[in-house]
Amino acid sequence: MVRLKNAFMRCYLAFILLFLYAPIFVLIVLSFNDSRSRVTWGGFTLKWYGRLFSSRQILEALETTLLLGLASAAAATVIGTLGAVGIQAMRKRGYQIVMSVTNIPILNADIVTGIALMLWFVRLIPLGFGSVLVAHITFNIPYVILSVMPKLKSLNLSIYEAARDLGAGSVYAFFHIVLPQIGSGILAGFFMALTMSMDDFVITYFTKGAGVNTLSTMIYGEIRKGIKPEMYALSTLLFAVIFVILLAFNALSGKGKNTEDVIERSR
Amino acid sequence: MEMNEKERDILELRNISKSFDGKKVLDDLSLSIGRNEFITLLGPSGCGKSTTLRIIGGFVRPDEGAVFFDGKDITDLASEKRNVNTVFQKYSLFPHMNVEENIAFGLKLKKKSKAYIQDKIRYALKLVNLEGYEKRNTTALSGGQQQRIAIARAIVNEPEILLLDEPLGALDLKLRHDMQQELIRIKKEVGITFIYVTHDQEEALTMSDKIVVMNRGIIQQMGTSKSIYDEPQNAFVADFIGESNIVDGVMPQDRVVEIFGVKIPCVDEGFAEREAVDVVIRPEDLEIRPEGDGFFNGQVVSVLFKGAYYEIKVRTEGCEWVSQSVTAPEVGTRVGLYVLPDNIQIMHKPKSEDAEMIKE
Ligand SMILES: Nc1ncnc2c1ncn2[C@@H]1O[C@H](COP(=O)(O)OP(=O)(O)OP(=O)(O)O)[C@@H](O)[C@H]1O
Ligand SMILES: [Mg+2]
């Protein structure tokens, strides 16, 4: 009986993994296929990858994506960490209110956030790299707060007071005593923000205006014109990069379950 | 005595009040602390001991009143600028630094030379009996060792006052006793003022020169261990310091108190006629005699061996008494209870609000 149940559970798991990863696997295979056809295997090639790196359009989009990801993640990390420290110091009621508000952008449908931000930006700043950056910082902040918060909660506040007691100013005590304790949470928040930014399509699409393209919006634009195998190669690379970041991120927070919590809440 | 009065007190709290969320935690508290005193704030949980200490340390700002250090008003001085260091109740060593780095933290901030810092670390570790622990990881130390390092970390800064907030609170009984002796020795060696917080009356009585008994943010009594134990000023103090029999009485005349209708000689005078009073008799002062030979007659309801003595409970009409004795009667026997006039403490009834807190 138990064995049967186990076998069933294993099949079920295999099925889920198959559905999740088979399409990606096909995509990866196709990116090495020396034939434009999606059904015949024309031999192994790296030429799509080669073309990828000779296309100015693609390289520009790559540059935009990386710049956007790093800048928005960095800004969100600073703002989010300070925010978390502030929220942690709040009284109970304020704390609950702010934490609920923090969750809204995560639970909110991207398209709503995207359109809302677009409407907002249209009046204030010209749509372009700047507006996308602000949009990305905005939706990244909650992820940073959520990954820093558990670390702050488990922080023993008397070590901060001990530092002050021994002659440290508040800034020194924060950087030398508090930061090392919550550093892994901050780093995890940064990586989370980075992936979220690189992953995003909807919000970017609505806030970017003409002329600016990240990889995801560019792929979308290209695919409407007809699928080019270069796009397979590009998607494969994108997948690989995000996969590596996620691994690093999990390794960082491997000891605590915090990040799993955060991911759980964000999905 | 006269010498002490000429010397200026090192610390003075003047009319301090503090509320949290509308609840008064300290109520018009005034307190002077002399140089080199070992003073203990003693009181039940939540009475405002830590808050008092945190006001002295600069972590909490009083709503009203002022703090004077060596005659200077330091009420608004940031904690890092006060010549005061704290040993916290919770372990507060920096977990990402080893023992040596923890102890050096304050000295590095003061930009002391490497040689000076090394000297101080060696001295401090010797003081707390942890020589050779420089490179140890703090998280691998036992609770007692962690608190010793915390003391060393504070002492190297040469504070004029060391604040200790229940530093032994998390340790087991045996270790507590050892550490109490250690602390007394360290206090003697460094010769600075110690302000100690505890809710353990035994600890307070063993260690302190002066005890401040607090309840609900109000100082109930201040004095030496002996004076507080022997002459509690109200029933709260009597009850909190050691176990006591506290019963209602009236004073029909000077030197006589009437309890449960029995007139008993005592040494107190100056009460109003038939004033209602609290009568306090320590268990070790309540003598068990043959029936008819004391002031009250009753029946032994329990006998507990406590190591050095027996704790005997006797029920009389109207009351159950606790007595301590080295000999024990059989449970169920009828006995008499006697007390010497000297060993009876008569106290004014507290005012109505205070009366409630004693009942708690
Ligand atoms: N920062 C704060 N915010 C709100 N209430 C506080 C704060 N600090 C202390 N209190 C409250 O003030 C009261 C006195 O606290 P305090 O810590 O001074 O008590 P204590 O005598 O040290 O007790 P314990 O023996 O439990 O440590 C308590 O009721 C506590 O809940
Ligand atoms: Mg306390």
Side-chain angles (χ1 to χ4, degrees):
Chain A
M1 234 353 240
V2 175
R3 236 201 241 159
L4 205 66
K5 201 173 154 197
N6 268 344
F8 174 74
M9 272 162 65
R10 255 183 230 141
C11 283
Y12 185 66
L13 183 67
F15 234 65
I16 289 184
L17 289 179
L18 187 72
F19 271 98
L20 274 176
Y21 289 104
I24 297 174
F25 180 72
V26 171
L27 180 90
I28 294 172
V29 170
L30 285 178
S31 76
F32 296 108
N33 184 7
D34 196 4
S35 147
R36 281 190 172 272
S37 158
R38 255 168 282 164
V39 283
T40 52
W41 178 249
F44 179 85
T45 180
L46 286 176
K47 72 175 173 197
W48 309 125
Y49 288 89
R51 281 203 202 163
L52 210 57
F53 290 103
S54 52
S55 154
R56 254 197 63 200
Q57 186 200 18
I58 291 175
L59 287 180
E60 263 173 25
L62 179 68
E63 193 190 323
T64 309
T65 306
L66 289 179
L67 203 62
L68 191 63
L70 291 172
S72 71
T77 302
V78 173
I79 299 171
T81 303
L82 293 178
V85 171
I87 294 169
Q88 178 66 23
M90 281 181 175
R91 295 275 164 76
K92 203 171 165 210
R93 197 178 312 147
Y95 176 92
Q96 281 166 347
I97 293 171
V98 176
M99 281 316 277
S100 320
V101 172
T102 300
N103 275 327
I104 293 176
I106 292 179
L107 301 173
N108 202 6
D110 277 0
I111 190 148
V112 177
T113 310
I115 292 176
L117 285 171
M118 178 188 72
L119 291 175
W120 181 245
F121 288 151
V122 163
R123 290 169 176 266
L124 294 176
I125 45 176
L127 294 183
F129 184 80
S131 64
V132 186
L133 180 64
V134 174
H136 278 222
I137 294 172
T138 311
F139 74 71
N140 273 339
I141 289 173
Y143 293 102
V144 176
I145 292 181
L146 287 181
S147 65
V148 172
M149 216 60 194
K151 294 278 173 199
L152 271 180
K153 263 194 200 143
S154 63
L155 182 80
N156 173 0
L157 203 67
S158 54
I159 68 170
Y160 170 78
E161 289 190 341
R164 297 296 304 272
D165 186 73
L166 292 166
S170 55
V171 176
Y172 187 94
F174 178 78
F175 280 103
H176 288 81
I177 302 300
V178 177
L179 209 57
Q181 301 306 312
I182 62 172
S184 61
I186 294 175
L187 213 56
F190 176 82
F191 278 122
M192 180 97 94
L194 185 60
T195 21
M196 288 301 159
S197 167
M198 289 175 60
D199 235 13
D200 178 70
F201 167 74
V202 178
I203 294 173
T204 311
Y205 186 76
F206 280 103
T207 52
K208 75 187 178 64
V212 180
N213 261 325
T214 64
L215 288 176
S216 59
T217 57
M218 189 207 66
I219 292 172
Y220 178 73
E222 288 301 306
I223 281 176
R224 282 205 305 190
K225 291 183 221 155
I227 300 172
K228 284 195 255 167
E230 287 98 319
M231 292 305 117
Y232 300 149
L234 185 56
S235 305
T236 303
L237 283 181
L238 215 54
F239 171 75
V241 169
I242 289 181
F243 190 67
V244 168
I245 293 179
L246 270 178
L247 281 183
F249 166 80
N250 275 338
L252 271 176
S253 49
K255 284 173 206 155
K257 285 191 177 159
N258 305 337
T259 39
E260 280 161 35
D261 264 11
V262 176
I263 292 170
E264 201 92 287
R265 288 171 76 169
S266 68
R267 285 288 135 97
Chain B
M1 228 31 227
E2 302 228 356
M3 278 295 291
N4 277 350
E5 275 171 21
K6 267 180 222 156
E7 247 178 69
R8 191 159 44 193
D9 285 328
I10 189 158
L11 190 86
E12 188 191 344
L13 300 181
R14 205 176 284 171
N15 306 105
I16 301 275
S17 291
K18 177 74 196 175
S19 299
F20 286 116
D21 308 321
K23 209 180 120 239
K24 208 151 206 169
V25 171
L26 293 179
D27 192 0
D28 197 29
L29 181 128
S30 293
L31 177 64
S32 288
I33 295 164
R35 245 166 242 287
N36 290 347
E37 262 184 335
F38 194 133
I39 186 168
T40 297
L41 307 181
L42 173 67
S45 196
C47 73
K49 307 178 297 285
S50 293
T51 305
T52 310
L53 212 63
R54 291 166 63 77
I55 285 174
I56 299 171
F59 299 112
V60 171
R61 220 196 155 281
D63 299 336
E64 282 165 55
V67 184
F68 291 87
F69 184 90
D70 218 358
K72 283 187 291 289
D73 187 340
I74 58 159
T75 318
D76 293 317
L77 200 64
S79 62
E80 67 263 27
K81 300 213 172 73
R82 300 185 179 196
N83 201 2
V84 162
N85 285 113
T86 312
V87 177
F88 294 86
Q89 172 174 13
K90 274 210 216 138
Y91 301 141
S92 61
L93 296 182
F94 308 132
H96 57 295
M97 299 182 182
N98 66 19
V99 167
E100 185 177 55
E101 288 162 340
N102 263 279
I103 299 177
F105 187 83
L107 297 174
K108 276 189 189 148
L109 279 166
K110 295 192 185 74
K111 307 251 183 308
K112 300 285 188 195
S113 76
K114 267 216 172 84
Y116 178 89
I117 293 177
Q118 282 310 318
D119 259 14
K120 275 285 180 188
I121 291 173
R122 216 169 305 124
Y123 159 78
L125 284 177
K126 187 151 185 264
L127 185 73
V128 298
N129 270 332
L130 287 177
E131 286 154 294
Y133 276 62
E134 281 89 345
K135 304 289 181 212
R136 294 283 186 100
N137 203 329
T138 53
T139 44
L141 299 178
S142 73
Q145 289 172 335
Q146 290 198 31
Q147 287 306 61
R148 283 165 200 250
I149 299 297
I151 292 166
R153 184 178 67 178
I155 290 281
V156 290
N157 300 288
E158 301 181 350
E160 288 182 70
I161 302 179
L162 187 66
L163 307 176
L164 302 109
D165 191 354
E166 307 205 30
L168 312 182
L171 308 182
D172 63 44
L173 198 67
K174 167 86 178 66
L175 199 53
R176 277 181 90 120
H177 286 304
D178 295 347
M179 283 295 288
Q180 286 169 10
Q181 296 311 314
E182 284 282 280
L183 273 170
I184 294 171
R185 181 183 59 78
I186 291 170
K187 161 80 177 63
K188 280 208 188 102
E189 259 173 64
V190 295
I192 56 172
T193 310
F194 273 36
I195 306 180
Y196 194 90
V197 161
T198 183
H199 59 248
D200 179 343
Q201 43 108 359
E202 199 187 311
E203 187 164 289
L205 292 170
T206 330
M207 302 177 73
S208 348
D209 299 326
K210 189 159 131 193
I211 296 179
V212 178
V213 185
M214 294 175 64
N215 190 29
R216 299 224 174 151
I218 297 172
I219 294 180
Q220 304 290 325
Q221 187 172 355
M222 225 182 304
T224 61
S225 305
K226 192 165 161 40
S227 74
I228 289 205
Y229 190 84
D230 290 344
E231 296 145 38
Q233 272 166 20
N234 58 36
F236 173 80
V237 177
D239 194 30
F240 196 73
I241 306 284
E243 213 181 347
S244 268
N245 298 289
I246 302 176
V247 294
D248 293 330
V250 289
M251 295 290 284
Q253 64 192 78
D254 276 354
R255 294 165 184 266
V256 175
V257 62
E258 188 181 317
I259 310 168
F260 302 121
V262 182
K263 289 201 169 72
I264 299 172
C266 62
V267 293
D268 299 77
E269 47 192 56
F271 289 84
E273 205 181 310
R274 296 214 65 81
E275 181 176 338
V277 292
D278 281 321
V279 182
V280 176
I281 302 169
R282 297 257 176 226
E284 64 268 29
D285 294 333
L286 192 64
E287 295 173 29
I288 293 190
R289 297 192 160 190
E291 189 172 15
D293 215 2
F295 298 118
F296 310 103
N297 292 316
Q299 189 171 27
V300 177
V301 290
S302 74
V303 175
L304 258 176
F305 185 56
K306 289 271 184 162
Y309 57 87
Y310 294 93
E311 185 182 279
I312 302 146
K313 291 211 167 119
V314 177
R315 183 169 302 131
T316 63
E317 222 169 294
C319 184
E320 189 173 286
W321 301 84
V322 183
S323 165
Q324 286 171 8
S325 162
V326 287
T327 56
E330 292 283 321
V331 174
T333 44
R334 298 211 39 99
V335 294
L337 293 173
Y338 177 80
V339 58
L340 282 171
D342 260 352
N343 289 334
I344 296 181
Q345 283 287 327
I346 308 289
M347 284 167 305
H348 294 281
K349 284 262 183 205
K351 292 173 197 73
S352 57
E353 192 201 4
D354 297 346
E356 268 165 39
M357 53 176 145
I358 291 160
K359 288 213 185 85
E360 272 196 355

